[in-house]
Structures are given as C-alpha cells and as structure tokens.
Amino acid sequence: MMINLKRLMETVNTSAAIGATENGGLHRLALSREDTEMRATFVQWLETADLRVTVDDFGNIYGWREGTNPGLSPVVIGSHLDTQPYGGKYDGVIGVLTALEVIRTLNDKGIKTERPIVIVNFTNEEGARFMPPLLGSGALIGDFSKTSVYETIDAEGISFETALYESGYPGEKAHRLKDAHAFMELHIEQGPVLEQNQKSIGIVQGIQGLAWLTVHVKGKADHAGTTPMSDRKDALVAASAMVTALSRYAASVEELVITVGTLQVEPSAPNVVPSGVTFTIDMRHPDDHMRKGVPMAIRKIISDTSKMYDVDFELETNARADTVHFPGRIQNILLEETSSLGYEAKQLYSGASHDAKNMIRIAETSMIFVPSANGKSHHEEEYTSDADIEKGANVLLWATKRLADEK
Amino acid sequence: MMINLKRLMETVNTSAAIGATENGGLHRLALSREDTEMRATFVQWLETADLRVTVDDFGNIYGWREGTNPGLSPVVIGSHLDTQPYGGKYDGVIGVLTALEVIRTLNDKGIKTERPIVIVNFTNEEGARFMPPLLGSGALIGDFSKTSVYETIDAEGISFETALYESGYPGEKAHRLKDAHAFMELHIEQGPVLEQNQKSIGIVQGIQGLAWLTVHVKGKADHAGTTPMSDRKDALVAASAMVTALSRYAASVEELVITVGTLQVEPSAPNVVPSGVTFTIDMRHPDDHMRKGVPMAIRKIISDTSKMYDVDFELETNARADTVHFPGRIQNILLEETSSLGYEAKQLYSGASHDAKNMIRIAETSMIFVPSANGKSHHEEEYTSDADIEKGANVLLWATKRLADEK
C-alpha cells in the first residue's frame, strides 16, 4: 500500500494557488481572505473523503474517520495551512495535505482501523498575523485563555475573535480535541541537515530549547565630524564587536546556534556617533544542561566587550523554553516503518517550534521531516522534492495505520 | 573695551527659556512655534539696539548698524537660532547673541565704524525640520532655487513656504545679503579639541571635507533554530565585522574619522538570520588628497570582509564635499585680537558644517570656536562656560571693529 503521489501533488498545487505570490511562494496569513478560502476548500476535501468535520472555538478544523472500536481515542495527524508573509507552499501545508492523502489511501483500499483517525488543521501556527505563534494548538491544550486569544489583535487592530467570525469558522468549545492516542506531524525540515546527510526522512526527537535575550548597549552620542576616534564611546562599534564575538563563540560549540536577528541604533543619524544599540539574541541548543550554561557565557562575552569599548550594557532574558523530548516509542515506530519502506532516516531535534510541541501534552507525539532544498524556509523559494514528499507520506500512512490499530 | 557678560548671559538665558526642555536643553526647530517666538524676541532686541531690521525671502533676519562710509560693504556676524530636536542652548544661539552683544557694546561706547555691521540669523541651519541643513545660507548664495526651498516639506508634510508665512517672517527677495566685506561666526566647538588643549578660543581654518557612503550587505535569510552556524550567510555578522574594521582603520590614520551612524537589518525578526543590512558611512579628513584615497581603503575593507563572510555587497557614494579653507587674513586678525586680549588660541578645522561654509562664497570668512564641555553637542547637556563665552565675544568684538574700520 502506497499513497497516490499524483493526487497528493494536485492537492498541494491547488493549495499553492490560494494566496500564491508572484515568485512562487504563498502569502496566506491566518484567517485572512486567502486562509478562509483555503479552509473552505479543505473542508470540502474532508467531506468528499467521508470525514465528519468539526471545528472548535479557536477555528481548529478536524476531520474524523471513525474506527471500529468506539471506545478508543484517536490517532491525530496534521499541521497548519496558514503561512508566513511571502512564505513557502510547503511549511505546514504538506503536513495537512499528506494527512489527507493518508485518509484517501486508506479509503481507496477500504481499510478500517480500530481507532479513529483525525486530520487537524491548527489555526495561526505561524504567529505572523496574531502573536504568539502556535495559537490554535496552544489554546487547545489550555496554555492561553479563550479571552486572551479572542482579544489578541493583528497589526491593523482586528481581533482574533472578529477575524475568526468573519472567516466563517467560529466553531464550538465542545469540539476541542481532548485527548489522543498519538499525534504525528509531517513538516519540511526548515534546515539543511537532511539534505547534507542525503536522507529523505527525518525522525524528530524533540523541539530544542531556546533562550531569547535582549542586549542594550549604552555609549555616548557625539558629532561624527568633530569627535576624534579615541574620544568616542560608540555603541554600534561595541555592539558590532559583540555580534561577531557571539557568532564565533556559537561556531565553536557543537549544535549551538546563536542569532542576532534584530538590531536598532539610536539616535540613527548618519552624522551622529551612536549613543545606544539594542539587539536580540536567539540561542538554541538541544541539551538543557548545556543551554542553561550558555547565557552565562554570553554575558561574559557582552561584558568583556563592553569593557574593551568603554560602554555600558544591560542584558535581559525575555524567554526561555526547555527542550521538549518526544517519546522513543513513536520515534521507533517511525524508524521501523521508514526502514520497511526501504527509505533512510536520520533522527534529529527540530530547531523550530511546531504544534507538536503543544500536542505532546495530550498525546504521544513525534514528527516526520522531509528535506528543505538549501535549508530554505519561511521564504518563497522553499522547496522539497515530490519524491521526498511521497516518502514522507508513505511513512505517515504506515505509522498511522499501525498506531490506529493499537488497542 | 570689553563686552558686558552679565547682559550677554541674561540674553542667552532668555533664549534658553524659549523651547526649553525638561533636561536643560532646547527644542526649537526651524520656523516652529518656539522659533517664531524667538524670532519675535530677537527682532525686538535688534530694534532696541537701534538696528534697521530686514528679512529676506528665506526668512534670514538681518539687523543693520550703518557705517560712516555709505559706499562700503558690511561686516557680517551671526549664526542661527534654530536647534536640533532636544539639542543644546549654545549651538548657533551664542553666535547670534554674542553678535548682538558686540553691537550693544559698540552702542554703549558710542563707537562708529566705517563700514556697516550686520547681525544675521540664518533660517533652518540644522536641517532637523527641513532638509538639507544650511538651508537659509545655502539659498542666499544661490545653492538652492527658491522653488526647491519653498517646496521642501517637513516630516508632517508642511512646506517651508507655509511654515515661513505662518512664522510671520516671509521677507523680501530685495533684502537678500548680496556681498560682504567679511563674515565671522562664533560657535561652540562640538568636539573635545579645545578642552583637551586647554584653550578658550579656536580659530577655524576651514570646514573639513567629507564623504557619505552607503553599504548594502546581502546574505541569506535562514531560520535561527534550524540553520547550523557553518551554513549561514548572516548579513549582520558580516556587517558587524565591517563596522569594527572601519573603526580600527580610522583610529590608525591621523585626523581621520569614520562613523557608522545608521544600520538597518532585514528582515529584522529575532528568529530569522539577517538576509540584508544597510549602513551609512560618514568619513571626514581635512586633507583633500588624503580624503580622496580613503574611499578606496574603505572599499577594500568592505570587500575583504564580504569575502571572509561569504556575503555580497554594494557600495554607493551619496555625497562628497571638499574641505573649505578659510582665508589666512581673517584668521590672522582673529589670532592677533585673541593675543592682544591675553587669551590663548588654537587653530583647527571644523568637523561640522556651518553657515560660514556658504558665506565664504560672498565674503572673507572665518569662525571663532569656544570649548564644548566633554565635547558634547546636539545634546541637552551641551555646555560652554560663561568665561569662555566672554572671551569669544571679546575676540568677536575687537575683530569686528577692526574689520569694520577697514576702508
């Protein structure tokens, strides 16, 4: 039994036309006009596949395929159909559409399972329209109150509640998924590891922990024309030395990544020596113990550099998240099915966050990664080959069937 | 004959109250409500000093003290009364108010001169409200057309013309100053050189030349969590290495200053490896020959660093200005008067631009600098001592009298 690649890619291409960008990407922000159109198409697909469609009060959409044993909890598969601004057509989307293909294949073969199988499309995974990310799955497991989710506003002041009602998918609290036997999410890797290791399948061991820090560097504003170099306390020169030192440090520690993604200069005039710089640090490492030590190393780098450039600094910790470890049992099932299918797998931690990180609170969870060409993601050029999508979908098919037959 | 310091400082303090900020600075943007109030007060002071007030069609205000020899061109002294946002109370202001004190002192003593003496207040020197800076003096000497000046808009879309009419000082073209025997501008140094050399008086040799460049660094956006350090083309890490290398290079060349005052990151998200950085370079050196070679050295630094970090770059030249040299004759008169008064002077180039840079096109020109405490300027904490202002004003008084008696 194998999935139907032609049908799957037709479905992926139909999705890719809803919010298509000029450069071949997708711009389909959560609950936007495009997302609403995608949801309608998706619900139609679910109904055509004889699934029972339910929607919860966060707009998460479920398609239920009943099992033969009514008392058993479902195996849940899926991801999200919203995208980043000018993002790619695979991120999230292929997790939902391979799940649909799994159902269609089981239907084709007339295969029944003990447990229900549920496809899910989570609302606002990206956090690009409504902050924070993972909003639909996070609300589902109780990380956010309904009030706080509903009151969240987008950049134009439109609330999540208004957008949800306007999308036509307000749903009901009674439909929230309460527990599940297992959750599996297929996703594009968003990094270069599988490609570099020439593996089509990634079995995800967990979501690596992170810390987000903010550094404020305080120098002295001076006139660019009248202040000799030796008299300056240039916050930007000092901050630049910090950025390069942090990058060198990260490169020296295995599996550590440090990113300075934002940096603002004050007062920001071409002819004024910068008095202040604020920059963010995103630091990730799968090992919790290691990761707890890194902020101390970062503080030392910032502090030493400050002294060298005669500036002051403040270091804030904005967020920390421990590494989430997925259970070995689901990973082993995925490894076995990959192997049975004749594919090669690599186990790895996810650097990015996913709805799976929330779902582990109510289900045994893991993820299947397929390679990102050149590691590109959150980008219109995001790409994964049809052949790899096919392999990933087949692994999902067999692992789903196996888990859905567990008593 | 000496100026009256008490009266001068009362005048400076009256000015310091018009647009005063909480932290002891001045916020008096060109043709704003505050500047309009200052202009009215200034005109009143001119009239009280028996000066004939004229205003040209750029709002430059003149106060004429006639000479005994009607055929001779005037000696012009002054500066500007507008300030930077949250700037200091000395920059520009003391140039105008010491000029007023010179007139008052000559009046007190009943001294007549051969040539007219004219006080001038130039409009919009700072360029903080209307770009570019030196707008009033630049328009006066024909660097900008009247149409282009009048159509210049501020950040709120208000045109210079509208602001000028609303200020009540629209003036007439016939009142533009056409030529002058000499122009002298007293100004706060805006740098640390006089303070470090323990000199009260700076005799300005000219305005040092500059080049403004813009660098675009092009890397690759990647996910901060999923992209190993070795696979990144991080535009910000590369740009940071450029900023520190440029600073080290400038420190190694005498009299060279290089400032990176603005730096923008794309896409500017904490969890995205920067794909692009744009930053400005302000480079100044008094030696024209030297300064023309520096951009090549800068290009080599940018290019070498780009290769090292595997990113691309573009380098644009936005502006170049040659060094303006003030004539030795006026400098010598200022040196002699400083010496006669028993003060010590240091000759130096101005790193900043001033209306004097334009006035040299219609008059023999130089400037008198007084020290900036800690080199601070364009800042609410800008400060120069009363004693130094007194010395500067006395030098201005004697040099003005001497030049105004030249046949």
Side-chain angles (χ1 to χ4, degrees):
Chain A
M1 179 174 65
M2 295 287 186
I3 63 97
N4 180 336
L5 180 64
K6 184 161 173 288
R7 176 174 61 193
L8 172 55
M9 293 317 298
E10 278 167 11
T11 310
V12 170
N13 289 335
T14 302
S15 152
I18 302 173
T21 66
E22 277 183 21
N23 302 315
L26 261 182
H27 184 85
R28 194 161 70 202
L29 303 190
L31 304 176
S32 63
R33 191 176 52 73
E34 295 80 12
D35 189 33
T36 299
E37 185 184 337
M38 182 69 242
R39 285 164 171 261
T41 304
F42 176 59
V43 165
Q44 212 169 13
W45 285 336
L46 296 179
E47 286 170 348
T48 305
D50 290 327
L51 302 184
R52 177 169 58 85
V53 177
T54 62
V55 181
D56 70 22
D57 49 344
F58 304 113
N60 299 315
I61 301 176
Y62 310 90
W64 286 75
R65 184 177 194 265
E66 299 307 335
T68 53
N69 196 332
L72 296 179
S73 61
V75 172
V76 182
I77 52 180
S79 187
H80 61 94
L81 292 167
D82 68 322
T83 78
Q84 285 282 326
Y86 301 93
K89 55 196 179 202
Y90 302 97
D91 176 352
V93 175
I94 57 169
V96 178
L97 300 186
T98 53
L100 177 63
E101 180 56 35
V102 164
I103 299 285
R104 286 171 170 174
T105 304
L106 293 174
N107 286 354
D108 285 351
K109 307 290 176 190
I111 290 171
K112 297 204 184 307
T113 54
E114 293 277 325
R115 294 175 178 273
I117 300 173
V118 176
I119 304 186
V120 64
N121 168 42
F122 289 113
T123 303
N124 194 63
E125 191 271 350
E126 294 290 2
R129 181 171 179 195
F130 296 101
M131 280 291 286
L134 313 187
L135 202 61
S137 61
L140 180 67
I141 60 154
D143 259 8
F144 313 119
S145 74
K146 181 163 175 174
T147 311
S148 74
V149 171
Y150 273 36
E151 288 177 352
T152 301
I153 57 168
D154 70 7
E156 281 159 18
I158 300 168
S159 73
F160 182 91
E161 183 176 19
T162 301
L164 184 63
Y165 274 80
E166 284 179 358
S167 77
Y169 293 90
E172 292 168 38
K173 184 175 175 184
H175 289 149
R176 292 186 199 172
L177 187 72
K178 276 159 210 79
D179 72 336
H181 180 60
F183 175 69
M184 287 182 296
E185 180 173 7
L186 183 147
H187 206 280
I188 190 164
E189 182 200 340
Q190 305 183 277
V193 176
L194 293 178
E195 191 178 58
Q196 285 174 0
N197 286 273
Q198 296 181 296
K199 299 282 193 287
S200 295
I201 301 292
I203 309 295
V204 181
Q205 298 170 286
I207 311 276
Q208 72 182 343
L210 58 83
W212 280 16
L213 313 169
T214 300
V215 181
H216 304 278
V217 183
K218 293 172 186 181
K220 186 161 82 74
D222 276 308
H223 194 293
T226 57
T227 316
M229 298 307 289
S230 56
D231 285 320
R232 299 181 175 202
K233 293 188 181 190
D234 187 321
L236 180 56
V237 172
S240 296
M242 292 171 190
V243 170
T244 52
L246 289 170
S247 170
R248 274 196 305 275
Y249 165 64
S252 74
V253 178
E254 205 173 344
E255 292 191 271
L256 177 64
V257 285
I258 292 180
T259 305
V260 176
T262 78
L263 185 148
Q264 282 96 32
V265 181
E266 289 286 325
S268 194
N271 59 347
V272 181
V273 176
S275 58
V277 168
T278 299
F279 65 87
T280 53
I281 298 174
D282 173 307
M283 182 275 289
R284 307 190 194 204
H285 196 283
D287 184 293
D288 282 340
H289 184 72
M290 177 70 207
R291 205 180 51 259
K292 274 165 195 157
V294 170
M296 277 189 297
I298 290 177
R299 174 173 285 277
K300 181 158 175 13
I301 290 168
I302 302 293
S303 168
D304 289 352
T305 312
S306 288
K307 278 179 205 136
M308 205 180 310
Y309 289 87
D310 196 16
V311 295
D312 296 320
F313 76 96
E314 277 173 33
L315 183 64
E316 291 171 45
T317 303
N318 306 112
R320 281 175 195 272
D322 283 346
T323 294
V324 170
H325 301 277
F326 293 152
R329 196 177 83 85
I330 306 283
Q331 289 180 54
N332 287 339
I333 288 171
L334 289 167
L335 281 168
E336 283 167 23
E337 297 303 331
T338 303
S339 175
S340 299
L341 286 157
Y343 310 149
E344 285 188 277
K346 177 170 172 58
Q347 284 179 286
L348 77 176
Y349 276 84
S350 172
S353 210
H354 296 285
D355 291 313
K357 184 184 163 187
N358 287 327
M359 289 300 287
I360 198 169
R361 303 262 288 275
I362 59 168
E364 279 197 297
T365 290
S366 185
M367 297 182 71
I368 300 165
F369 274 176
V370 291
S372 312
N374 302 312
K376 265 190 193 166
S377 186
H378 287 186
H379 194 289
E380 291 171 291
E381 289 173 23
E382 181 184 72
Y383 178 73
T384 187
S385 73
D386 292 6
D388 286 335
I389 295 179
E390 181 178 26
K391 289 177 186 171
N394 278 326
V395 173
L396 184 64
L397 170 68
W398 283 97
T400 301
K401 181 176 179 306
R402 183 162 156 186
L403 284 160
D405 279 334
E406 286 183 338
K407 301 254 164 90
Chain B
M1 178 175 64
M2 295 287 186
I3 62 98
N4 180 336
L5 179 63
K6 184 162 173 287
R7 175 173 61 192
L8 172 54
M9 293 318 297
E10 277 167 10
T11 311
V12 170
N13 289 335
T14 301
S15 152
I18 303 174
T21 66
E22 275 182 22
N23 302 315
L26 261 181
H27 185 85
R28 193 160 70 201
L29 303 191
L31 304 176
S32 63
R33 192 176 53 73
E34 295 79 12
D35 189 33
T36 299
E37 186 183 337
M38 182 68 243
R39 285 164 170 261
T41 304
F42 176 59
V43 165
Q44 211 169 15
W45 285 336
L46 295 180
E47 287 170 347
T48 306
D50 289 327
L51 301 185
R52 176 169 60 85
V53 177
T54 62
V55 181
D56 69 22
D57 49 344
F58 304 113
N60 299 315
I61 301 176
Y62 310 90
W64 286 75
R65 185 176 194 266
E66 299 307 336
T68 52
N69 194 333
L72 296 178
S73 62
V75 171
V76 182
I77 51 180
S79 186
H80 61 94
L81 293 167
D82 69 321
T83 77
Q84 285 281 326
Y86 300 92
K89 54 196 181 202
Y90 301 96
D91 177 352
V93 175
I94 58 169
V96 178
L97 300 185
T98 53
L100 177 64
E101 179 56 34
V102 164
I103 299 285
R104 285 171 170 173
T105 303
L106 293 174
N107 287 354
D108 285 351
K109 308 289 176 188
I111 291 171
K112 295 204 184 307
T113 54
E114 292 277 325
R115 294 175 177 272
I117 299 173
V118 176
I119 303 186
V120 65
N121 168 41
F122 289 113
T123 303
N124 194 62
E125 192 270 349
E126 293 289 2
R129 180 171 179 195
F130 296 102
M131 280 293 284
L134 312 186
L135 202 62
S137 61
L140 180 66
I141 59 155
D143 260 8
F144 314 120
S145 74
K146 181 163 174 174
T147 311
S148 74
V149 171
Y150 272 37
E151 289 177 352
T152 300
I153 57 167
D154 70 6
E156 281 159 17
I158 300 168
S159 73
F160 182 91
E161 183 175 20
T162 301
L164 184 62
Y165 274 80
E166 284 180 358
S167 78
Y169 293 90
E172 292 168 37
K173 185 176 174 183
H175 289 150
R176 292 187 199 172
L177 186 72
K178 276 159 211 76
D179 71 336
H181 180 59
F183 174 70
M184 287 182 296
E185 180 172 6
L186 182 147
H187 206 280
I188 189 162
E189 182 200 340
Q190 306 185 278
V193 176
L194 293 177
E195 191 178 58
Q196 284 173 1
N197 286 272
Q198 295 180 296
K199 299 284 192 286
S200 294
I201 301 291
I203 309 295
V204 182
Q205 298 170 287
I207 311 275
Q208 71 182 343
L210 59 82
W212 280 15
L213 313 169
T214 300
V215 182
H216 304 277
V217 182
K218 293 170 186 183
K220 185 161 82 71
D222 276 308
H223 193 292
T226 56
T227 316
M229 298 308 288
S230 56
D231 285 319
R232 299 182 174 201
K233 293 188 180 190
D234 187 322
L236 180 56
V237 172
S240 296
M242 292 172 190
V243 169
T244 51
L246 290 170
S247 170
R248 275 196 304 275
Y249 165 64
S252 73
V253 178
E254 205 174 342
E255 291 192 272
L256 177 64
V257 285
I258 292 181
T259 305
V260 176
T262 77
L263 186 148
Q264 282 95 32
V265 180
E266 288 287 325
S268 195
N271 59 347
V272 182
V273 176
S275 57
V277 168
T278 297
F279 64 87
T280 53
I281 297 175
D282 174 307
M283 183 275 290
R284 307 191 193 204
H285 195 283
D287 184 292
D288 282 340
H289 184 72
M290 178 69 206
R291 205 181 50 259
K292 275 165 194 156
V294 170
M296 278 190 296
I298 290 177
R299 175 173 285 278
K300 183 159 173 11
I301 289 168
I302 302 292
S303 168
D304 289 352
T305 312
S306 288
K307 278 180 204 134
M308 206 179 311
Y309 288 88
D310 197 16
V311 296
D312 296 319
F313 76 96
E314 277 174 33
L315 183 64
E316 289 171 47
T317 303
N318 305 114
R320 281 174 195 272
D322 283 348
T323 295
V324 170
H325 301 279
F326 293 152
R329 196 177 83 83
I330 307 284
Q331 290 180 54
N332 287 338
I333 289 172
L334 289 168
L335 281 169
E336 283 167 25
E337 297 303 332
T338 302
S339 175
S340 300
L341 286 158
Y343 310 149
E344 284 187 278
K346 176 170 174 59
Q347 285 180 286
L348 76 175
Y349 275 84
S350 172
S353 209
H354 295 286
D355 291 313
K357 185 184 163 188
N358 287 327
M359 289 300 287
I360 197 168
R361 303 262 289 276
I362 59 169
E364 279 196 299
T365 290
S366 185
M367 297 183 70
I368 300 165
F369 274 176
V370 291
S372 312
N374 301 312
K376 264 190 194 167
S377 186
H378 288 186
H379 194 288
E380 291 172 292
E381 288 172 24
E382 182 184 71
Y383 177 75
T384 187
S385 72
D386 292 7
D388 287 333
I389 295 178
E390 180 176 30
K391 289 178 185 171
N394 278 327
V395 174
L396 184 65
L397 169 67
W398 282 97
T400 302
K401 182 178 179 307
R402 182 160 155 189
L403 285 160
D405 279 333
E406 286 182 340
K407 300 255 165 87

